[in-house]
Amino acid sequence: MDSEGRAPTSATARPANRNATILGRIRLTGIVRAITGLRIGGAAGGLAIGALDNPVVRDPLTNQPYVPGSSLKGKLRSLSERIEGLTTNWRINNVYIHVCAGDRQDGRNPTYDNCPVCPVFGVPGDQYPSAPTRLVVRDAFLTESSVRELEALRLDLPYSEIKWEAAIDRVTSAAVPRQVERVPAGAAFACEMVYTLYEPRDVDRFWTVARALALLEDDYLGSYGSRGSGKVRFENLTLSVRPRPHYDQPVAQLPQRTFDSVDALLAARDDVLAWLREAAGLAGQAG
């Protein structure tokens, strides 16, 4: 009813789940270290003679390779969908992902609400419910120390190496060589993710992100992973929590905890979730 006691019309009616109040945010920072050569492709090298066919993506301001947030987030989502056994039902060009579409019940989408992936990584904006994505993954740039280390090396290209590969004809044994560009093993990128809490149960959903980090360490990032590239490790992970009141009255030091590795973070699951609820001011609230 409006202020004059009239029932809402079809144009003004709103489903019950249109509320998206920020209760707080969890910030995860750390290092993504390339254990083997890392290759995340960029635009082709143009038409110049000798130009590289398979370059890595680079920051146009510094010419340094970086890890796009879209690549990192997409891989984390893909691995989360696979470990949950979710149906890949939404086509994006030539690939399919999982999306909880439809299934309306009294203004809510029970399938979406109970999905371990969609509320965290998001759904297309034109699908119901058009709820906000919890996880934001920033582009990860080389750390200053890694920049100095790579500049000190005699590499094939600035901050990168050229790896030669060959396709072998199974009958004639003729080799067709090709070259790909990779960031050398050992390079370190500064990683940042921001996870928004819209309801108390989002604290538990955050564990989908932590688990995906472990899944990625046993998989690969970028391309040519089945041939050795893209093994990464997350180091020096720090969780910090900014409850909603801190946006009005900032404090000098937010509550935070640091873990040497993903395994150390996973091993403290119950303790970490309880601490996140307490730090976000959501302790005792139903999930």
Side-chain angles (χ1 to χ4, degrees):
M1 298 292 182
D2 62 14
S3 59
E4 297 180 6
R6 294 173 302 194
T9 65
S10 58
T12 59
R14 294 290 184 270
N17 67 339
R18 294 296 296 174
N19 188 358
T21 302
I22 294 175
L23 303 180
R25 281 186 161 129
I26 300 170
R27 182 168 176 260
L28 188 156
T29 60
I31 297 296
V32 184
R33 186 175 299 280
I35 304 303
T36 63
L38 177 62
R39 174 182 159 67
I40 299 178
L47 300 177
I49 296 175
L52 191 65
D53 293 332
N54 299 298
V56 299
V57 63
R58 291 176 180 269
D59 180 354
L61 293 179
T62 63
N63 199 35
Q64 296 168 3
Y66 72 102
V67 177
S70 58
S71 299
L72 185 52
K73 184 180 179 183
K75 190 68 181 189
L76 296 176
R77 178 183 189 129
S78 172
L79 294 170
S80 297
E81 291 176 356
R82 280 191 269 170
I83 198 171
E84 294 291 345
L86 298 176
T87 302
T88 52
N89 56 351
W90 187 263
R91 182 176 180 177
I92 301 177
N93 295 325
N94 294 324
V95 300
Y96 286 84
I97 67 171
H98 170 77
V99 170
C100 290
D103 194 21
R104 302 187 186 199
Q105 291 185 19
D106 299 326
R108 299 193 66 88
N109 182 340
T111 302
Y112 170 89
D113 289 341
N114 296 317
C115 179
V117 173
C118 288
V120 174
F121 293 96
V123 297
D126 59 350
Q127 293 301 301
Y128 182 85
S130 58
T133 302
R134 269 69 172 176
L135 181 64
V136 172
V137 182
R138 314 281 194 204
D139 291 344
F141 298 96
L142 285 169
T143 63
E144 292 185 7
S145 60
S146 195
V147 168
R148 291 194 296 270
E149 291 172 358
L150 292 175
E151 288 178 341
L153 298 175
R154 299 182 61 182
L155 297 171
D156 304 297
L157 294 170
Y159 310 102
S160 68
E161 62 181 2
I162 300 297
K163 180 177 183 291
W164 285 92
E165 296 184 350
I168 308 297
D169 187 288
R170 279 13 177 205
V171 176
T172 66
S173 297
V176 180
R178 60 185 174 186
Q179 55 182 359
V180 297
E181 184 182 13
R182 304 194 311 178
V183 180
F189 300 84
C191 168
E192 180 187 29
M193 304 181 191
V194 180
Y195 182 89
T196 302
L197 304 170
Y198 289 105
E199 52 186 344
R201 67 186 299 186
D202 284 337
V203 174
D204 295 302
R205 287 172 170 151
F206 175 75
W207 213 250
T208 295
V209 180
R211 184 180 60 176
L213 300 181
L215 288 168
L216 178 54
E217 287 190 336
D218 286 341
D219 207 274
Y220 62 89
L221 182 62
S223 54
Y224 301 116
S226 66
R227 300 200 292 276
S229 298
K231 178 177 174 59
V232 298
R233 182 176 66 216
F234 293 91
E235 302 173 349
N236 301 326
L237 296 171
T238 297
L239 293 176
S240 59
V241 181
R242 186 189 292 267
R244 182 184 177 188
H246 287 201
Y247 284 96
D248 296 319
Q249 294 181 328
V251 296
Q253 181 65 50
L254 293 172
Q256 68 178 36
R257 294 184 62 174
T258 299
F259 303 86
D260 293 337
S261 65
V262 174
D263 285 345
L265 172 61
L266 294 181
R269 171 176 176 157
D270 293 342
D271 179 47
V272 170
L273 290 179
W275 172 76
L276 289 174
R277 290 192 192 92
E278 183 72 26
L282 301 175
Q285 297 191 33

